[in-house]
Amino acid sequence: MDDQNNPGYTKMIFYLILFLSVVLAGFLLKTISSVIIPVVLSFILSLVLLPIIKKVNLKTGIPWVVSSLTIVILFFVALLGITSILVGSLSGIVAEYPKYESRFMSIFQLIAQNLDFEIDNSKSLIQNLWTSLKVREYAQKTAVALSSGVISFSKTLFLISIMSAFILIEMRLTKRKIYYAFKDNREKVSRISHQIVNQTVRYVSIKFFISLSTGVLSFLTTWLLGLDFPIVWGFLAFIMNFIPIFGSIISVGLTTLFSLIQFYPNWGKTLFILIFLTAINMILGNILEPRIEGKNLGISPVAILISLSVWGYIWGFTGMLLAVPLTVIIKIICENLDYMKGAAIFLGNDPRQSNSNKTAD
């Protein structure tokens, strides 16, 4: 009985239950990902659009419901327009494939000679790749994933838009609901919700404009150098920049690889694209973004890597896009729970810097 009344024993039981709950939650999130992902994306989108709707409502006097529906519809139409442009560009890549196959075959022959791959000149590039590199299984999986993704994208986008509209309409009553639902802890709950909204909006907004700048500069670079389908490479740079650390490497690598195929055997433009796109990502992502973002998020680089791995395993590519904002939300919740403050410290940066920043504030 004495052990059960010991605070240390209580904490141990709490952490054990918490660990089991986290494992179970991860399993459920992965199992029902098709249901949960649209809901989470709708909430994140609602948090980002919330400040815009507030400003429209205050400055123009347009009712909250009308403002919410208008903003969501405009977002939906804009995204559909961008999607149609991308689909057209990707269709162009497929149509122009024979033009690039001969150049890719020349590069593949060079690689095969250096790495002792078996190559049959009487076969096409794809046949040689499947024979030498054994990528038939991966190609089939990729084709199935892409086809199913294209079919379900419009349905998911429409569902997210509808859910976001209802969430935004409901948010006008959030303060009132917190006031009546949490009579004993309404101040703490209000503070947590306010921090989550502010930090999420700040991160997504900064990341959006940095990613947009990266995409625009990548588009201009590839367009000026004559690389085919610059819209695709600009959008690739934009969307992959939302994935910390690895996203920029993947976008620069794919763009450089395509430029090598198009401009081969001329290496000059390919080298310039590699250097210039790398410089764009380094300056915007590693110099400008941290200065704008400051230390408000306070997420450790190790925590970011772990979150990318965990959320990527649970939700795939979407999980990697949402890894940082979800980690920020988890860190804010942990900071406001007595038993979880240690976890918040491990998720954050140097504790001394955090304390000095709070003191300065």
Side-chain angles (χ1 to χ4, degrees):
M1 294 297 293
D2 293 338
D3 291 339
Q4 294 180 359
N5 293 328
N6 187 354
Y9 178 83
T10 305
K11 282 189 176 182
M12 183 180 68
I13 296 298
F14 171 78
Y15 289 134
L16 177 60
I17 295 174
L18 178 65
F19 173 76
L20 295 176
S21 300
V22 169
V23 173
L24 178 60
F27 174 77
L28 290 176
L29 289 174
K30 185 174 179 63
T31 303
I32 58 174
S33 59
S34 59
V35 177
I36 297 296
I37 288 177
V39 176
V40 174
L41 287 173
S42 300
F43 270 102
I44 297 293
L45 178 61
S46 301
L47 292 178
V48 174
L49 296 178
L50 181 62
I52 302 174
I53 295 171
K54 283 183 177 180
K55 289 183 179 180
V56 171
N57 180 255
L58 290 175
K59 291 185 177 181
T60 64
I62 298 176
W64 185 277
V65 175
V66 177
S67 301
S68 301
L69 292 175
T70 303
I71 297 298
V72 171
I73 290 172
L74 290 175
F75 173 82
F76 178 74
V77 171
L79 203 55
L80 277 182
I82 294 172
T83 303
S84 63
I85 295 173
L86 284 173
V87 169
S89 298
L90 292 174
S91 300
I93 293 178
V94 175
E96 294 290 331
Y97 170 76
K99 182 177 72 174
Y100 303 109
E101 183 176 8
S102 60
R103 298 174 185 174
F104 202 175
M105 192 65 179
S106 300
I107 298 172
F108 180 67
Q109 288 174 344
L110 181 62
I111 296 174
Q113 291 173 0
N114 293 328
L115 299 180
D116 295 328
F117 286 156
E118 294 182 2
I119 185 168
D120 187 351
N121 292 322
S122 63
K123 294 182 179 180
S124 67
L125 170 66
I126 297 299
Q127 291 173 330
N128 274 287
L129 286 174
W130 282 354
T131 303
S132 302
L133 303 182
K134 299 178 181 179
V135 297
R136 178 185 292 271
E137 181 181 353
Y138 300 103
Q140 290 175 342
K141 289 182 179 180
T142 302
V144 172
L146 287 175
S147 60
S148 62
V150 170
I151 294 173
S152 64
F153 177 77
S154 57
K155 180 181 70 174
T156 304
L157 179 60
F158 180 74
L159 176 62
I160 291 172
S161 300
I162 294 294
M163 293 180 64
S164 300
F166 278 98
I167 292 171
L168 286 167
I169 292 172
E170 190 72 14
M171 278 184 174
R172 75 190 193 278
L173 303 175
T174 301
K175 289 184 178 180
R176 191 180 306 170
K177 289 186 175 182
I178 290 175
Y179 181 84
Y180 285 101
F182 303 96
K183 293 182 179 180
D184 297 330
N185 299 305
R186 60 178 60 138
E187 292 184 2
K188 175 181 277 190
V189 174
S190 297
R191 183 175 67 251
I192 293 174
S193 60
H194 182 71
Q195 288 179 348
I196 288 175
V197 172
N198 285 348
Q199 295 280 31
T200 304
V201 170
R202 180 177 178 81
Y203 170 78
V204 175
S205 300
I206 293 173
K207 199 69 177 175
F208 174 82
F209 287 109
I210 293 294
S211 300
L212 182 62
S213 301
T214 304
V216 170
L217 290 174
S218 299
F219 163 76
L220 291 175
T221 301
T222 54
W223 176 65
L224 291 173
L225 289 175
L227 185 65
D228 293 341
F229 315 107
I231 294 178
V232 173
W233 313 119
F235 182 80
L236 179 67
F238 165 74
I239 198 68
M240 294 303 293
N241 197 64
F242 281 92
I243 301 177
I245 303 172
F246 303 109
S248 299
I249 297 174
I250 294 172
S251 66
V252 172
L254 290 176
T255 307
T256 304
L257 177 61
F258 188 86
S259 69
L260 176 63
I261 296 171
Q262 178 178 332
F263 298 131
Y264 181 82
N266 183 2
W267 302 89
K269 290 185 177 181
T270 299
L271 185 61
F272 184 85
I273 287 175
L274 173 62
I275 295 174
F276 200 80
L277 294 186
T278 302
I280 290 173
N281 283 275
M282 290 290 291
I283 294 172
L284 293 180
N286 296 334
I287 298 176
L288 185 60
E289 183 177 342
R291 290 192 177 185
I292 298 174
E293 201 168 80
K295 301 182 183 299
N296 290 331
L297 294 178
I299 301 296
S300 166
V302 176
I304 292 176
L305 285 173
I306 294 174
S307 67
L308 285 172
S309 301
V310 172
W311 289 109
Y313 171 75
I314 295 174
W315 285 344
F317 180 74
T318 305
M320 297 182 74
L321 291 177
L322 296 174
V324 174
L326 289 175
T327 305
V328 170
I329 293 173
I330 293 172
K331 178 174 178 287
I332 291 172
I333 295 173
C334 291
E335 287 174 342
N336 290 275
L337 298 176
D338 293 335
Y339 281 180
M340 297 303 298
K341 288 184 177 179
I345 292 174
F346 279 104
L347 288 174
N349 287 319
D350 189 347
R352 290 180 296 181
Q353 293 181 355
S354 301
N355 291 332
S356 62
N357 290 335
K358 290 180 180 178
T359 305
D361 296 336

